[in-house]
Coordinates of all heavy atoms in Angstrom, one line a residue:
E290 N -35.6 26.9 -10.7 CA -34.9 26.8 -9.4 C -35.9 26.5 -8.3 O -35.7 25.9 -7.3 CB -34.1 28.0 -9.1 CG -32.7 27.9 -9.9 CD -31.8 26.7 -9.7 OE1 -31.4 26.5 -8.5 OE2 -31.7 25.9 -10.6
R293 N -36.8 22.9 -8.4 CA -35.8 22.1 -7.7 C -35.9 22.2 -6.3 O -35.8 21.2 -5.5 CB -34.4 22.6 -8.2 CG -34.0 22.1 -9.6 CD -32.5 22.4 -9.8 NE -32.0 21.8 -11.0 CZ -32.2 22.3 -12.2 NH1 -32.9 23.4 -12.4 NH2 -31.7 21.6 -13.2
I345 N -25.2 28.0 -11.4 CA -25.9 28.0 -12.6 C -27.2 27.2 -12.4 O -28.3 27.7 -12.8 CB -25.0 27.5 -13.8 CG1 -23.9 28.4 -13.9 CG2 -25.9 27.4 -15.0 CD1 -22.8 28.0 -14.9
K346 N -27.0 26.1 -11.9 CA -28.2 25.2 -11.4 C -27.8 24.6 -10.2 O -26.7 24.1 -10.0 CB -28.5 24.1 -12.5 CG -28.9 24.6 -13.8 CD -29.1 23.4 -14.7 CE -29.2 24.0 -16.1 NZ -29.5 22.9 -17.2
T347 N -28.7 24.4 -9.3 CA -28.4 23.6 -8.1 C -28.7 22.2 -8.4 O -29.7 21.8 -8.7 CB -29.3 24.1 -6.9 OG1 -30.6 24.1 -7.4 CG2 -28.8 25.4 -6.3
H348 N -27.6 21.3 -8.3 CA -27.8 19.9 -8.6 C -27.9 19.0 -7.4 O -28.2 17.9 -7.5 CB -26.6 19.4 -9.4 CG -26.6 19.8 -10.8 ND1 -25.8 19.2 -11.8 CD2 -27.2 20.8 -11.4 CE1 -26.1 19.8 -12.9 NE2 -26.9 20.8 -12.8
H349 N -27.7 19.6 -6.2 CA -27.7 18.7 -5.0 C -29.1 18.6 -4.5 O -29.5 19.5 -3.7 CB -26.6 19.3 -4.0 CG -25.3 19.2 -4.6 ND1 -24.6 18.0 -4.8 CD2 -24.5 20.2 -5.2 CE1 -23.5 18.3 -5.4 NE2 -23.4 19.6 -5.7
N350 N -29.7 17.5 -4.9 CA -31.1 17.3 -4.6 C -31.4 17.1 -3.2 O -32.5 17.4 -2.7 CB -31.6 16.2 -5.5 CG -31.1 16.2 -6.9 OD1 -31.2 17.3 -7.5 ND2 -30.5 15.2 -7.4
P392 N -27.6 9.1 -17.3 CA -28.0 9.8 -16.1 C -29.4 10.4 -16.1 O -29.8 10.8 -17.3 CB -27.0 10.9 -15.9 CG -26.3 11.0 -17.2 CD -26.5 9.8 -18.0
F393 N -30.0 10.5 -15.1 CA -31.4 11.2 -15.0 C -31.4 12.1 -13.8 O -31.0 11.7 -12.7 CB -32.4 10.0 -14.8 CG -33.8 10.4 -14.8 CD1 -34.4 10.9 -16.0 CD2 -34.6 10.4 -13.7 CE1 -35.7 11.3 -16.1 CE2 -36.0 10.8 -13.8 CZ -36.6 11.3 -15.0
P394 N -31.8 13.3 -14.0 CA -31.7 14.3 -12.9 C -32.7 14.0 -11.8 O -33.8 13.5 -12.0 CB -32.0 15.7 -13.6 CG -32.9 15.3 -14.8 CD -32.4 13.9 -15.2
G395 N -32.3 14.3 -10.6 CA -33.1 14.1 -9.4 C -34.5 14.6 -9.5 O -35.5 14.0 -9.2
P396 N -34.6 15.9 -10.0 CA -36.0 16.5 -10.1 C -36.7 15.9 -11.3 O -37.9 16.3 -11.6 CB -35.7 18.0 -10.4 CG -34.2 18.2 -10.1 CD -33.6 16.9 -10.3
G397 N -36.1 15.0 -12.0 CA -36.8 14.2 -13.0 C -37.4 15.0 -14.2 O -36.9 16.0 -14.6
I400 N -38.2 19.1 -14.6 CA -37.3 20.1 -15.3 C -37.2 19.8 -16.8 O -36.5 20.5 -17.5 CB -35.9 20.2 -14.7 CG1 -35.1 18.9 -14.6 CG2 -36.0 20.8 -13.2 CD1 -33.7 19.1 -14.4
R401 N -38.0 18.9 -17.3 CA -38.1 18.7 -18.8 C -39.5 19.0 -19.2 O -39.8 18.8 -20.4 CB -37.8 17.2 -19.1 CG -36.3 16.9 -18.7 CD -36.0 15.5 -18.8 NE -34.5 15.3 -18.6 CZ -33.9 14.1 -18.6 NH1 -34.6 13.0 -18.8 NH2 -32.7 14.1 -18.4
S435 N -24.4 10.1 -24.5 CA -24.2 10.2 -23.1 C -25.5 10.4 -22.4 O -25.7 10.0 -21.3 CB -23.3 11.4 -22.8 OG -22.1 11.3 -23.5
Q436 N -26.4 11.2 -23.0 CA -27.7 11.3 -22.4 C -28.7 11.8 -23.5 O -28.3 12.6 -24.3 CB -27.5 12.5 -21.3 CG -28.7 12.6 -20.5 CD -28.5 13.5 -19.2 OE1 -27.5 14.3 -19.2 NE2 -29.4 13.5 -18.2
F438 N -33.1 12.7 -24.0 CA -34.4 12.8 -23.4 C -35.3 13.7 -24.3 O -34.8 14.4 -25.2 CB -34.3 13.4 -22.0 CG -33.5 14.7 -21.9 CD1 -34.2 15.9 -22.1 CD2 -32.2 14.7 -21.7 CE1 -33.5 17.1 -21.9 CE2 -31.5 15.9 -21.6 CZ -32.1 17.1 -21.7
R463 N -33.4 16.1 -27.2 CA -32.1 16.5 -26.8 C -31.2 15.2 -26.7 O -31.6 14.2 -26.1 CB -32.0 17.3 -25.5 CG -30.7 17.7 -25.0 CD -30.4 19.1 -25.4 NE -29.3 19.8 -24.8 CZ -28.4 20.4 -25.5 NH1 -28.3 20.3 -26.8 NH2 -27.4 21.0 -24.9
I465 N -26.9 14.2 -26.3 CA -25.6 14.8 -26.3 C -24.5 13.7 -26.1 O -24.8 12.7 -25.6 CB -25.4 15.8 -25.1 CG1 -25.9 15.1 -23.8 CG2 -26.2 17.0 -25.4 CD1 -24.9 15.4 -22.7
D469 N -17.6 14.6 -19.5 CA -17.8 15.0 -18.1 C -19.0 15.8 -17.8 O -19.2 16.3 -16.6 CB -16.5 15.8 -17.6 CG -16.3 17.0 -18.5 OD1 -17.2 17.3 -19.4 OD2 -15.3 17.6 -18.4
F470 N -19.9 16.1 -18.7 CA -21.1 16.9 -18.6 C -20.8 18.3 -18.3 O -21.7 19.1 -18.2 CB -22.0 16.2 -17.5 CG -22.6 14.9 -18.0 CD1 -21.8 13.7 -17.6 CD2 -23.8 14.8 -18.7 CE1 -22.3 12.4 -18.1 CE2 -24.2 13.5 -19.1 CZ -23.5 12.4 -18.8
M471 N -19.6 18.7 -18.3 CA -19.3 20.1 -18.2 C -19.4 20.8 -19.6 O -19.8 22.0 -19.7 CB -17.9 20.3 -17.6 CG -17.6 19.6 -16.4 SD -18.4 20.3 -15.0 CE -17.5 21.6 -14.7
K507 N -23.1 22.6 -25.3 CA -22.9 23.1 -23.9 C -21.5 23.5 -23.8 O -20.6 22.5 -23.9 CB -23.3 22.1 -22.8 CG -22.9 22.6 -21.5 CD -23.3 21.6 -20.3 CE -22.9 22.2 -19.0 NZ -23.3 21.3 -17.9
A510 N -25.5 26.5 -24.3 CA -26.7 25.9 -23.6 C -26.2 25.0 -22.5 O -25.0 24.7 -22.4 CB -27.5 25.1 -24.6
T511 N -27.1 24.5 -21.6 CA -26.8 23.5 -20.7 C -27.4 22.1 -21.2 O -28.1 22.2 -22.3 CB -27.4 23.8 -19.3 OG1 -28.8 24.0 -19.4 CG2 -26.7 25.0 -18.7
V512 N -27.2 21.0 -20.6 CA -27.8 19.8 -21.1 C -29.3 19.9 -20.9 O -30.0 19.7 -21.9 CB -27.2 18.6 -20.3 CG1 -27.9 17.3 -20.8 CG2 -25.7 18.5 -20.5
E513 N -29.7 20.1 -19.8 CA -31.2 20.1 -19.5 C -31.6 21.5 -20.1 O -30.9 22.5 -20.2 CB -31.5 20.0 -18.0 CG -31.0 18.7 -17.4 CD -31.8 17.5 -17.8 OE1 -32.9 17.7 -18.4 OE2 -31.3 16.4 -17.5
W514 N -33.0 21.6 -20.3 CA -33.6 22.9 -20.8 C -33.9 23.8 -19.6 O -34.1 25.0 -19.8 CB -34.8 22.6 -21.6 CG -34.5 22.4 -23.0 CD1 -33.6 21.4 -23.5 CD2 -35.1 23.0 -24.2 NE1 -33.5 21.5 -24.8 CE2 -34.5 22.4 -25.3 CE3 -36.1 23.9 -24.4 CZ2 -34.8 22.8 -26.6 CZ3 -36.4 24.3 -25.6 CH2 -35.7 23.7 -26.8
E515 N -33.9 23.3 -18.4 CA -34.1 24.2 -17.2 C -33.0 24.0 -16.3 O -32.5 23.0 -16.1 CB -35.5 23.7 -16.5 CG -36.7 24.1 -17.3 CD -37.9 24.2 -16.5 OE1 -38.0 23.5 -15.4 OE2 -38.8 25.0 -16.8
Ligands
XMP1 P1 -26.8 20.7 -17.1 O1 -28.2 21.0 -17.5 O2 -26.4 21.4 -15.8 O3 -26.7 19.2 -16.8 O4 -25.8 21.0 -18.2 C1 -25.5 18.5 -16.6 C2 -25.9 17.1 -16.0 O5 -26.5 17.3 -14.7 C3 -27.8 16.8 -14.8 N1 -28.7 17.7 -14.0 C4 -29.2 17.4 -12.7 N2 -29.0 16.3 -12.0 N3 -30.3 17.3 -10.3 C5 -29.6 16.2 -10.8 O6 -29.5 15.2 -10.1 C6 -30.5 18.5 -11.0 O7 -31.2 19.4 -10.6 C7 -29.9 18.5 -12.3 N4 -29.9 19.4 -13.3 C8 -29.1 18.9 -14.3 C9 -28.2 16.7 -16.2 O8 -29.3 15.7 -16.4 C10 -26.9 16.3 -16.9 O9 -26.6 15.0 -16.8

Side-chain angles (χ1 to χ4, degrees):
E290 284 302 293
R293 282 189 171 81
I345 297 172
K346 293 179 191 182
T347 46
H348 283 201
H349 298 284
N350 314 309
F393 186 67
I400 55 167
R401 293 172 177 178
S435 310
Q436 195 172 10
F438 55 90
R463 179 95 166 125
I465 54 131
D469 56 8
F470 293 89
M471 307 290 281
K507 171 182 180 173
T511 54
V512 176
E513 301 290 345
W514 275 49
E515 289 201 328

